[in-house]
Every structure is written in C-alpha cells, then in structure tokens.
Amino acid sequence: MDFIHVNDMEFYGYHGVFPEETKLGQRFRLTVSLAVDLRAAGETDELEHTVHYGEVYEACRSVVEGEPKKLVEAVAESIASTILTAFPLVKGIRVVLIKPDPPIPGHYKSVAVELTRGEFI
C-alpha cells in the first residue's frame, strides 16, 4: 500500500468536556495518513488517480472547526469517517489529533489520540 501524508495541519475548534473549552476554543494539530494505491497516479501523472490534498485539508478543517464534540476521540473518528466516505480511493486512514494546550494541570507538551480505520497494510 502507498500513503499520502498531510502533516501538522492546524485548526481552531471548540471541542472539550469543560465549559471554557467550548466557549473559548483552542488550537488542534492534525496529521492524516491515507492508504491509497498510487501506481496509476505515478504512471499517468493525472490528478484523477490520486487524492487532492487541498480537498483533504478542507474536509479535515470542516470537522475540526465544525460542530463541537466533548472528546477528541469523537473528533478523530469523525475525521476518519468523513475522509473514507468522501474519497473512494482512500482504503485506510490513520488520524493523529493533537490537543497542545488542554486545560489540565501539569507539565507536558500535548495530549493526542491516534486511530486507524480501514485497510492500512
């Protein structure tokens, strides 16, 4: 399987359990890895045989900047479902969603969830 990686996208969303998260919002960083057979794209040099990165970005943006969810797990699941539905060439997806500034005490760089859906061999 071949892969397309869209790395370190940044969005502002209103997801979280605490009221201040849904009121003030916060930054989210997102990387998606798409399992796609890229042979035809490589051989033909035609966009129709691959996945348009800009459209992937916009699909991700619409989820992260869209309807608030309590859990980043739910946001990541929604991203995976959206991409797998919107892009039939994508056979599998890995989503890494990072919440760099969650409102919890302590010293750490970030918290994140990672999930894989579909074929990812």
Side-chain angles (χ1 to χ4, degrees):
M1 188 62 65
D2 306 315
F3 299 94
I4 295 172
H5 305 282
V6 185
N7 298 309
D8 294 323
M9 295 175 275
E10 291 197 12
F11 304 106
Y12 200 86
Y14 293 85
H15 312 287
V17 173
F18 301 111
E20 60 270 21
E21 293 178 290
T22 57
K23 182 178 180 184
L24 300 174
Q26 60 195 299
R27 295 177 303 128
F28 293 87
R29 285 197 313 271
L30 172 64
T31 293
V32 294
S33 298
L34 313 176
V36 182
D37 183 348
L38 297 175
R39 183 179 303 273
E43 291 173 348
T44 65
D45 198 26
E46 295 293 332
L47 182 59
E48 67 194 46
H49 297 293
T50 190
V51 178
H52 191 297
Y53 316 143
E55 292 176 5
V56 170
Y57 176 90
E58 287 301 321
C60 292
R61 183 185 64 73
S62 72
V63 172
V64 180
E65 293 182 357
E67 182 181 339
K69 299 187 181 308
K70 290 182 279 188
L71 303 177
V72 290
E73 293 86 345
V75 179
E77 190 68 43
S78 183
I79 291 164
S81 175
T82 297
I83 298 297
L84 289 170
T85 301
F87 301 95
L89 291 177
V90 176
K91 302 303 180 201
I93 185 169
R94 177 175 292 136
V95 176
V96 179
L97 184 60
I98 299 169
K99 195 173 186 179
D101 303 306
I104 54 176
H107 300 283
Y108 49 87
K109 185 173 182 178
S110 63
V111 298
V113 296
E114 178 177 337
L115 57 83
T116 303
R117 299 292 180 265
E119 299 174 35
F120 215 82
I121 299 171

